[in-house]
Amino acid sequence: MSLRISALEYVQEVQNGNISAEDYVSKTIEQINNVDENLHAFLQINSEAIDNARQIDKKIKSGKNVGACFGMPISIKDNICIKDSKTTCASNMLENFIAPYDATVISKLKQQDAIFVGKTNLDEFAMGLTTEFSAFGPSRNPWNLDYVPGGSSGGSAVSVSAFECLASLGSDTGGSVRNPASFCGVVGFKPTYGLISRFGLISYANSIEQIGPIARTVKDTAFILNMIAGLDPNDNTTIDNSNQDYLLGIDSGIEGKKIGIIKEMIGEGIDSAVMSATKNAISKFQGLGAVCEEVSLDMVKYSVAAYYTITATEAGSNLARYDNLRYGYDFPVEGYEFNSYISKARRKFGPEVTRRMILGGFVPSSGHAGKYFLKALKVKQKLTQEIDQLFKKYDFLIAPTVPVLPFKIGEKIDDPVALFLVDINTVTANLTGKPAISVPFEISNGLPIGIQIFANSNDDKSLLQAARALESTVKLPEVPI
Amino acid sequence: MTKIGLEIHCQLTNLESKLFCPCKANYREYEPNTNICPICIGLPGSLPRLNQKAIEKASMIAMALNCSTPEKIAFFRKNYFYPDLPKNFQITQLNIYGDTSIGGLGYTMVGEKKIRITRVQLEEDPGRLIYEGSSSKNQTTLVDYNRAGTPLVEIVTEPDFENPKQVREFLNILSDLLQNLGVSDPSLEGAMRADANVSIEGGNKVEIKNIGSFHDLEKAIHFEITRQESLYSRNIPIVQETRHWDDRRKITISARSKEEELDYRYFLEGDIPWIRIDKDTQERLQKEMPESISSKKDRYVSKYGIPAQVADVLSSDKFYSDLFEQSHNEKNAKEIANIITTDLMGLVDTREKREQSKFTSKHLEELADAIQSGKITRNSAKNALYEIVKTGKDLTQIIAELDLGNVSDESEIEKIINEVISQEPQAVEQAKKNPQTINYLVGKVMQKTKGKADPKLTLDLLKNKIK
Ligand SMILES: [Zn+2]
């Protein structure tokens, strides 16, 4: 039995009785034990995973109703709460935080008999795009261990890429699902804002972030989305998707569709390999019967600045609750008054989080808000107007997910400004609330390149169809793991 | 001219749950930190879940205060660190970026004086801090989050008050209004709080915070006016500042300037989408709103001929006016209004007494009938009511047990009249000269019958006897 199958193939095999959940989950755990010492995708392994799989096998044998996952091993980014287990956000601040409840996505997957093999590594509080800002050490790219896996959902992308699970849930605030998916050669999807409940996702910049699936195929992505999307009374921002089946008609193709290539995302600073991959993708789309032309999204040049201003503001507020009073780490209060205590307690935040919190205290403050925060909101608004205008004419927009190839661990960690520019192609989907997906497309010098497709709000289903169409033209080499 | 403005905070105590979670809005009966959940103590990953009922009730308050009501409202985050604030920000409303609070400009009348309302907004109450230890050195602060997230309505007025008396009258009117709307019970401890700002002619505005009760509010305003006038008369400038009311010493003290520098970094609360309160909803709410106090009062006067003063007292207290509505009909309305305002209000004048009392609206009906049909006198009715409140027994049972039934048998009353006449020759002589004084003799008869003699019959008989 091979681990190298898709999630849907797994379901088929278990249903046909060719493999058991226990077999597959045991092999998965074995794989984790073999490779994760080097990859560091996981912060925690679920010691009951194999027992859970055995229970599900029993259920299958007894002819009882079994959920759609049939014991499928799934990994979860460690900023999503699973009841009675540690949820650390890869931060020393929450090192010992045990969530007293399940995130909505978790309860939905539990109902479908998924098995959570473990919690995956991330940049502390999802702030970063290399997973190097994890308080517990970086993850490594399975394609080349010297390279970063992308971030902030680096652990999730690595675990899917390295067969340590069949699928994963990450979170995407400015590209945190799509960026590591691109760097690790897997599929990463950021849905329309509100399609997936954020209840139980530890907030970083709540007005723009979404939980998103990471999987080995587009169909697996649609399969996971089917189980976790839709209205949730616990998240007032969720939207009613009328129980759409995202798998249904996923092979419809894109003949006759109009695709815009975003000029500002293939401009200055783009790696030549990425540029050539993008050109290849365009001809593939044309070969599939789509019409492609270059379009302009003028506000993109301000998008990263706006993104950091808005996320820092929201982060400053969302992370203010970590004052170590109600939960946290062991640090007695005796001898402190409130303000001196929390300022001392908050020193457990890592450097990147601290940087953004300081920024978040400044940009929306009175006297400066007009110059920074309110201006950023204006950029967000104008960018949304621009992209809405484009979607009147085009079905999809495309661009490379990241304009550069994966880089070496440590290469850019001391250069926050260089790192920020890696976000340029992904933040637009978050600022505008649009769905976007990264599809693995080429390997250059042994490193993956992803192509990103955008669609209009609530067109998630046709977006997956376009992604599937592109994917069908691609055959990547095996991960060297 | 002195100018006083108010900032009133009122909890929506009658709601079932808190503003953003399923915990109880009425937290008072709970042990510390037992009326809490992941949302109201701000655990990582929790999100606010808006209580739609709170939106409706707060809208009703805005409408009752004649405020403008925008069709779209929003929530904002007010960011500051304080131990009673579980998320270290408060979800509240703001009008800086357009009118997005639940109520805009409005007014309410205090007698002939119009008090303008600046805005009405909905927000979450913080937790409660309890200080232990005497000196600041060894003081410990305990936090109870049971209150955190309770729906709180903030009502801000323009500086339209000229003196503390107007402030008191306004607060009484507001308190009655909130009670009448059925949204809050202001008599609950901490359910209604107020801060004030005070300025005198030629001086800066001074805010007073930390005022525990409405009684203290009046005192604080008094103190502040006197303080400012004294500074002014000595040509000392009045600094624009925030002052705290010192409950023990009954003075205001300048708050540390640090507090004034707080920057709340307000921004839109992304976890709660904009809320639409369209025209249809506003009309529905308007219909669902209970009849206003002034409309009730007018109706009592015009329909039943109840004296204006009695109608005023009756309509402004929701407890009594509800009771009146339940028990009255066209015939007995005046009698019931009379029983409630002259007797009942004295018997159940506190919340505890109301809660312990056993009477029902049915009792009132029976009592009014008994008086109107001459079964008992008003005097006996008062005694019966006392017994009803205490025991909740049937009126007929009480009349029998306490022997309260009217003596309307002529011969029996005559017998007693004869006794009184022989015992009070002097009074009889006087009554002959001055008919006004006959009431003394009626009183004596009443005394002997323990107030049960039919007063009209007694008077007629007496007049006949001593012509
Ligand atoms: Zn709660």
Side-chain angles (χ1 to χ4, degrees), chain B residues 18 20-24 35-42 145-146 148-149:
Chain B
K18 290 184 180 178
F20 300 117
C21 71
C23 296
K24 297 288 175 212
N35 181 41
I36 56 172
C37 73
I39 299 173
C40 60
I41 57 164
Y145 291 110
N146 283 351

Side-chain angles (χ1 to χ4, degrees), chain B residues 405-420:
Chain B
N406 255 0
V407 183
S408 48
D409 181 350
E410 262 193 58
S411 62
E412 203 166 321
I413 295 177
E414 259 191 88
K415 224 164 76 191
I416 295 160
I417 286 175
N418 289 336
E419 268 175 47
V420 169

Side-chain angles (χ1 to χ4, degrees), chain A residues 101 200 234 317-318 320 323 326 366, chain B residues 44-45 49 77 79 86 88 263:
Chain A
Y101 56 90
N234 283 320
S317 173
N318 285 322
D323 54 18
R326 291 159 295 277
S366 68
Chain B
R49 207 169 92 182
R77 287 190 186 176
N79 295 285
N88 284 321
D263 179 356

Side-chain angles (χ1 to χ4, degrees), chain A residues 118-179:
Chain A
K119 301 298 284 291
T120 55
N121 200 9
L122 62 149
D123 290 292
E124 184 175 358
F125 281 100
M127 296 177 193
L129 29 116
T130 63
T131 320
E132 291 168 287
F133 290 125
S134 165
F136 310 125
S139 300
R140 290 171 182 275
N141 195 317
W143 292 84
N144 186 331
L145 295 181
D146 292 336
Y147 284 71
V148 299
S152 65
S153 311
S156 285
V158 171
S159 68
V160 173
S161 167
F163 306 101
E164 296 174 288
C165 61
L166 277 164
S168 186
L169 291 185
S171 68
D172 190 315
T173 310
S176 284
V177 159
R178 291 161 287 153
N179 169 298

